[in-house]
Amino acid sequence: MKILLATYWLIPHVGGVWKYMTQLQQRLEAMGHQVDLLGNSPDYAKFHIVNRGRELPKERIRPFLSAKLAQEYAPQLHADRIIYFYEEDRYHLELSAAYFGLDQYDIIHTQDIFAARAISRVKPAHVPLVAQVHGSVSGELHNHFRLNPHLGITEGSPAWKYLKSIEYYGATSGAVTITSTHWQKNELIRDFGVPENRVCVFQYGLDTLDFWRKAQAGTNMQRPVDKKVIIFPARLSFVKGIDVLISALGMLKYIRQDWVCWIVGNGEKMEELQRQVDGLALSNDVLFLGERHDIPALLMQSDIFVHSCIQDNQPFSVMEAQIAGLPACVSNAGGLPEMVEHGRTGLVSPIKDPVSLTQHLHQLLEDERLRKQLGRNASAWGEEHWSLDRMVGRLLELYRQVIG
């Protein structure tokens, strides 16, 4: 088969969607299929098929779109900058996909609501589309609006309603919609009105051979000889709840000092989080390692994994931590309770609850037997559940059903 994996988001990029796409591409091509990867460039200047070197700069399309989307023709677009930004860029994707040519593919598999909506409008009728939802765009942005009331975007605002509607249209643009968790499926049905019979649930897979290869390659980071390492690999954004972890660490320091925390990743919250660390006198205890490509090796140097997010679906970081044999302290956001069983493979606390997270960290640092047992349980559970072969097999069967 010739397959197009398409996303509105940036590629290449350090993040779950890009990891999912490249894992899938490598495994499918090893089986004899041809796979192309379409998405936004890291500088937002163009859409490109990154593995073919094909691209279309947005500056070549923008004059045409500006004429077609002028205020006299589309006044509602110009009434809100957020709506205009996403709609203009969605049109960029539509025109780029049409320019590259979609009739050459046997199936198109989109990775987000914007790509699903855009490509469904320009693809040939005989080429089926599978829409995958890796998380809730509207949920993440709605949380952002709530946390930043100075933006003036409330539930009655056009941008709020737009994001909710695009979630529905994107999730219903394909012949079938895939999600990896029952939480995500229930949200699509309950909050966005997506028909239940259109949503298929099966979990991600992880290339464990690649994970262990990277783990064995090692890292230049050395753990302290007399302290345990708490690790949190994540994009430094509000939705990841890193501020919750830092607040918890501020309380933990009053109880014990036999730990350090490695925060791995970059993002728009870097300076704000560093100020929070400084304000809590944690500068020698919390290290920001920035963007790294040796996370498997860092996990092998660590003792406790944390993911105190506000919203997430089925993060690869949790999967990797389980393969590495680490107990996880996670929030009960999104699909995380489907990944971590409280008291068996980790400890689960309420969203935005630094007190509970402090207690859980203290418990694992205090009780080495419990910490190691949860880690062994997590490793066994991860090896059983995160099979990439199983995921790819189910996906190919779905492709064949949709094509048929």
Side-chain angles (χ1 to χ4, degrees):
M1 283 188 289
K2 188 169 184 181
I3 302 161
L4 176 66
L5 303 181
T7 181
Y8 167 77
W9 308 119
L10 312 181
I11 60 170
H13 183 66
V14 176
V17 173
W18 176 240
K19 185 178 183 70
Y20 178 83
M21 291 173 70
T22 52
Q23 273 196 161
L24 190 53
Q25 177 201 27
Q26 291 163 7
R27 187 55 58 94
L28 289 172
E29 289 190 337
M31 300 170 73
H33 302 286
Q34 181 178 328
V35 182
D36 286 347
L37 307 176
L38 167 64
N40 235 315
S41 64
D43 59 1
Y44 274 106
K46 62 194 175 190
F47 279 99
H48 59 166
I49 298 180
V50 66
N51 59 312
R52 301 291 173 200
R54 301 195 65 194
E55 61 183 46
L56 184 59
K58 295 178 186 178
E59 63 182 14
R60 291 177 55 185
I61 310 172
R62 190 167 285 114
F64 170 75
L65 281 179
S66 296
K68 292 292 185 180
L69 301 178
Q71 187 158 3
E72 58 266 34
Y73 303 129
Q76 287 184 314
L77 287 185
H78 292 265
D80 190 288
R81 59 183 178 81
I82 292 177
I83 296 176
Y84 188 88
F85 171 80
Y86 282 116
E87 282 296 284
E88 182 192 48
D89 221 29
R90 183 171 63 81
Y91 282 122
H92 282 142
L93 175 54
E94 287 185 14
L95 294 173
S96 299
Y99 171 78
F100 297 139
L102 299 177
D103 57 350
Q104 60 185 297
Y105 297 104
D106 296 301
I107 194 160
I108 299 170
H109 181 178
T110 59
Q111 308 300 314
D112 58 84
I113 55 173
F114 294 108
R117 177 64 171 159
I119 290 180
S120 69
R121 286 163 44 91
V122 295
K123 74 174 185 65
H126 69 277
V127 180
L129 186 149
V130 171
Q132 185 148 7
V133 179
H134 295 286
S136 175
V137 175
S138 63
E140 185 169 332
L141 287 173
H142 288 167
N143 277 327
H144 178 63
F145 299 150
R146 290 188 185 101
L147 292 171
N148 295 275
H150 64 277
L151 296 174
I153 300 174
T154 63
E155 292 191 24
S157 302
W160 188 290
K161 295 177 180 179
Y162 164 78
L163 290 165
K164 190 166 184 176
S165 67
I166 201 69
E167 196 92 40
Y168 168 80
Y169 286 119
T172 56
S173 291
V176 65
T177 301
I178 302 173
T179 183
S180 61
T181 64
H182 291 281
W183 164 79
Q184 182 79 76
K185 176 181 179 178
N186 292 336
E187 183 180 70
L188 290 172
I189 295 167
R190 181 189 65 244
D191 296 345
F192 303 106
V194 177
E196 183 174 3
N197 62 357
R198 298 193 63 148
V199 185
C200 176
V201 179
F202 57 86
Q203 63 201 33
Y204 296 145
L206 184 69
D207 187 341
T208 53
L209 291 177
D210 182 63
F211 175 88
W212 288 118
R213 178 181 59 80
K214 292 177 179 177
Q216 292 168 2
T219 174
N220 60 1
M221 285 295 298
Q222 294 295 319
R223 57 173 294 142
V225 294
D226 57 345
K227 295 187 177 184
K228 296 290 191 295
V229 175
I230 301 165
I231 189 169
F232 191 160
R235 173 170 48 95
L236 305 189
S237 66
F238 77 94
V239 77
K240 296 302 182 181
I242 302 169
D243 60 312
V244 178
L245 170 61
I246 294 172
S247 295
L249 295 175
M251 290 182 275
L252 183 66
K253 189 172 182 178
Y254 282 98
I255 304 172
R256 58 195 312 140
Q257 293 81 44
D258 57 343
W259 55 270
V260 295
C261 180
W262 294 347
I263 296 177
V264 188
N266 279 332
E268 68 273 12
K269 291 290 185 178
M270 173 68 84
E271 292 184 4
E272 181 179 323
L273 294 170
Q274 288 177 325
R275 288 195 299 271
Q276 184 184 6
V277 165
D278 292 341
L280 292 172
L282 294 172
S283 304
N284 296 324
D285 310 290
V286 178
L287 303 179
F288 290 90
L289 304 190
E291 187 176 304
R292 306 276 301 201
H293 299 282
D294 56 354
I295 289 177
L298 292 174
L299 290 169
M300 300 307 296
Q301 295 265 17
S302 304
D303 300 284
I304 301 170
F305 169 86
V306 177
H307 196 69
S308 52
C309 65
I310 298 170
Q311 177 186 312
D312 218 326
N313 188 27
Q314 194 172 80
F316 277 95
S317 61
V318 178
M319 298 162 64
E320 291 182 329
Q322 290 179 330
I323 294 298
L326 293 184
C329 289
V330 303
S331 72
N332 63 353
L336 287 171
E338 297 177 41
M339 304 179 76
V340 177
E341 183 180 350
H342 183 74
R344 177 170 170 75
T345 58
L347 299 174
V348 183
S349 58
I351 297 171
K352 301 181 186 178
D353 188 345
V355 174
S356 293
L357 180 55
T358 302
Q359 293 169 345
H360 290 165
L361 291 171
H362 173 54
Q363 185 178 0
L364 293 181
L365 290 168
E366 182 73 16
D367 190 339
E368 185 167 355
R369 186 190 63 81
L370 174 65
R371 177 172 54 78
K372 290 185 174 180
Q373 184 60 55
L374 294 184
R376 286 192 292 268
N377 293 344
S379 176
W381 196 90
E383 289 288 348
E384 179 182 352
H385 283 79
W386 307 130
S387 167
L388 184 60
D389 288 335
R390 183 186 305 152
M391 184 201 78
V392 172
R394 293 188 67 181
L395 189 60
L396 283 171
E397 179 59 29
L398 185 65
Y399 285 173
R400 294 186 185 105
Q401 291 176 11
V402 171
I403 291 171

